[in-house]
Every structure is written in structure tokens, then in C-alpha cells.
Amino acid sequence: MPGSRTGRPPVQRASGRPPTPRLPRENPLQRLYLRARRAWDRPLTAYYLIVGGSVLITVLGLVMVYSASQITALQLSLPGSYFFRKQALAAFIGGALLFAASRMPVKLHRALAYPILAGAVFLMVLVQVPGIGMAVNGNQNWISLGGSFQIQPSEFGKLALVLWGADLIARKQERKLLAQWKHMLVPLVPVAFLLLGLIMLGGDMGTAIILTAILFGLLWLAGAPTRLFAGVLSVAALIGVVLIKTSPNRMARLACIGATEPRSGVADCWQAVHGIYALASGGLFGSGLGASVEKWGQLPEAHTDFIFAVTGEELGLAGTLSVLALFAALGYAGIRVAGRTEDPFVRYAAGGVTTWITAQAVINIGAVLGLLPIAGVPLPLFSYGGSALLPTMFAIGLLIAFARDEPAVRVALAVRQPRFGRKRAGGPGAERGPRRWNTMRRRASAARSSGER
């Protein structure tokens, strides 16, 4: 082949093949979104959200209880850490209840439904016995246990209604009786109204509202027809209007919605207005932990019903949004557990617990923000009060047990790499790779049920 004049080999012409198209570069935001979506859809997501969210809310609540209650304790000639120590003790006992509930099988939870209901009704009747029950802030809903320890049986009535109602509706669904409206309402609604009547005898309408929300949540999950649901809601609303109209104190609380300045007269709105002042003075990141001004006697119940206002003042908008995000994550996880299970009892119990915690958080935070009347209910897992903390932590243990009971979660927990007991690299018999994977395969095979892949 002749060369060119320059002595260089001739340049070969390009073939007629079309140029290879370049693949479009993946958008980083889209890649991040896909990764987050895959992580969100993992079997253990609800389990981790329930465990992590409840622990963070409880720990942050202990911190804020210590900060918000110091001045109140000193004004009562008590040590500054008095309320914090009582709350920490309740959290320790509640942690034991949570762990026990999370390890119980579903059959044992169903077996405990009737004893818990009977015990709650018995204690709520004892509240009305003279010499046994005691009044706090005008509500006859407490029993003294001796010394400074008291118990509020109506808080355990929420847990009783959730467990007993879920077991009742599940048994009726198994017998295909829910198509009849009589079986839908009886005896669920009469027992719920019995609990509501015992609560209202003591004048605690806030707890009665939470119990009513649990009842409606169970009816909605059971598939109650719209007419039946609207009928029960109308009766409950009518009773609520009568109870509010006949009580000047409740009418005054209703008149304080949206108030921005204290007034003179029955509806002075002092607590509601100073709650708004605390939130407004917090700014973006707050005045600092322990630096609240409103807790120095201006804001009543700073460590109980209005602890969210102190949180906004000391931790700012960032702190309050963090609390809201934790409750939102906890509520989403509860809905996810209720939606993915095939066990009717688990569905109703998880939905009832989620309705209970979400409704109580909304009512408490709405009252602090001035959007709802002050109902006198604590913020779940966050406010001071052992009577409210113990049944709530047991209910969180229920959610954890239900989340662990899913087949995919059982497999994922079985194949999870153990954190303790590993052999160090370089030690005797340190063939870590094959041995570890073989162990994981054996665990996964043992965890799978027949026919499950």
C-alpha cells in the first residue's frame, strides 16, 4: 500500500456507524430521592420510627420537664429536681412496661383486654367514693397512693378501650357480624359511654374528648357506614355542646380561642395568652435551655399542659418543629403498621393507639397555639405526669410488638448482623466473610414461613 508524501500512513476514514449516544447524567436530587424512597419502603422503617421516635420524645420531654418545673418546685419549697425525679422514675417504670409489651405475643395482649378494662372501671368507680378519690384543679379524677404519689385511672381507661374494643371488633369480624349495625355498636358504644360517664362525673372533659376520638377511630377502622358514623358523631357532639353550655369554666375556655391579650372577667385568658407570649419570644432557635421567662410564675402549668410553650420559648421554632416531626413520624409508623397487617386485632389496636396519641398531641398543641380551647390534656410522652406516661408507654410497646410481628420484619431482624460477640480480625479462626454469610442464610431460612420468599 503506497504511503503518503509525508511518509506517514494514510488516515483511514471513519466507518458509517452512527455515533454512540451518551447516556444522560443522573440528576443528584433524583438519585437522592430514589435512595430515600427505597429506605422509606424497607420493612424495618416503621419499627425504627416507633422505637426511635418514642425514645427521642421521652428523653426530650425529661429535659424540658426538668427545665420547666424548677421554678414551680422552688415556689412549693421543694428541691428544684423534684418533678424531674418523679418523671424519671415514671419513665423507668414505663420503659419496663414498654419492653414487656413489645415482647408479648398478640394472644397475650388479647387476653389482657378484659382484665385491664375491669381494673380501669373499678378504679374509676373508686374515684367517686368519698375519702378515696381526690380533686386536683377542680377535677375529681385522682386516687392518692400515699405521700406525693397519685394515680389518674381515666388515663388507663384509654388503654382499656383500645385493647378491649380491638379484641371485640376482631372477634365479630371473624364471625362476619360487622355487617349488622347492632353488632357494630353493641356493646362497644355502651361500654365507651360508661367510661365517658365515669370520667365526666369528675369533670375531666379533656380526657373524655380523647376517649371519644378513640371510639370513633375504632368505628372508622371497622368500616362503619357513613350514616351510622354520622349518627354516633351527632349524639356525641350534642352531648358535648350541652356539657359546654352548662359550665361557665368551659365557656370561658372556648372564648379564649385566638386571644392575644388578657381580659377582665370570667374569661381572663391568662394562661392562653402567656402561652402565646412564650412561643412568640422564642424566635428561631429560642432563648436557650433553662432561660425561659414565662415559667417564673407567669405561665400556669408550665411543666404539664403548657410544656410545649416553654419548649418554644427555650428551643425556638427549631425545637417545636422537631417535636412536631417526631409525633408525625410516630403517627405515620402507627398507620403503616395498621395498614400492612392481616390480623384484624393488630389493625384495630394499632389504629386505636395511633388515634389516641395523635389526637391528644393535636389537642394539646392546638390549645397552646390558641387554635383550640384549653382541654387540660398532657402532651403524650412529653409532659409531666406518671399516670399519663405509663399507659402511653405500654401502648408504644404494643406498636413495637405489632411492627415486629410482620413476616418481612421478622426476616429482616433475623438476618441483621449482630453487633456483639463478633470475632476480631486477625484472631484465631478469623474467617469472617463466609462464616458470617452462612450464619445469616441459616437465620433467614429459619425465619421464613412455609412458602415465603
Side-chain angles (χ1 to χ4, degrees), residues 369-391:
L369 295 176
L371 303 176
L372 295 174
I374 300 174
V377 295
L379 190 59
L381 302 173
F382 202 84
S383 296
Y384 170 78
S387 295
L389 185 62
L390 295 182

Side-chain angles (χ1 to χ4, degrees), residues 69-80 83 294-299:
S69 64
Q70 292 183 29
I71 307 304
T72 304
L74 294 176
Q75 290 175 345
L76 296 175
S77 300
L78 298 171
F83 293 104
E294 291 293 333
K295 68 183 180 183
W296 287 77
Q298 298 295 324
L299 180 62

Side-chain angles (χ1 to χ4, degrees), residues 138-188:
N139 293 335
Q140 183 82 14
N141 283 311
W142 298 82
I143 295 177
S144 177
L145 300 179
S148 60
F149 291 94
Q150 305 163 356
I151 187 174
Q152 188 177 2
S154 58
E155 293 290 341
F156 295 89
K158 304 172 187 177
L159 178 62
L161 181 60
V162 168
L163 283 177
W164 177 81
D167 178 69
L168 175 69
I169 299 175
R171 286 189 288 108
K172 290 192 174 186
Q173 180 177 340
E174 293 169 356
R175 299 177 183 177
K176 300 181 179 180
L177 298 176
L178 291 181
Q180 306 176 24
W181 67 269
K182 294 181 180 180
H183 288 283
M184 180 77 71
L185 296 180
V186 180
L188 177 62

Side-chain angles (χ1 to χ4, degrees), residues 12 22 45 59 78 80 89 92 113 124 128 175 183 186 198 209 274 276-277 289 294 307 338 347 362 407 418 422 450:
Q12 296 181 357
R22 294 184 177 179
T45 298
V59 172
L78 298 171
L89 176 61
F92 178 78
M124 292 167 70
Q128 307 304 324
R175 299 177 183 177
H183 288 283
V186 180
L198 292 174
I209 294 175
H274 279 273
I276 296 296
Y277 288 169
L289 190 62
E294 291 293 333
I307 194 171
R347 181 183 305 111
V362 169
R422 302 180 192 169
S450 59

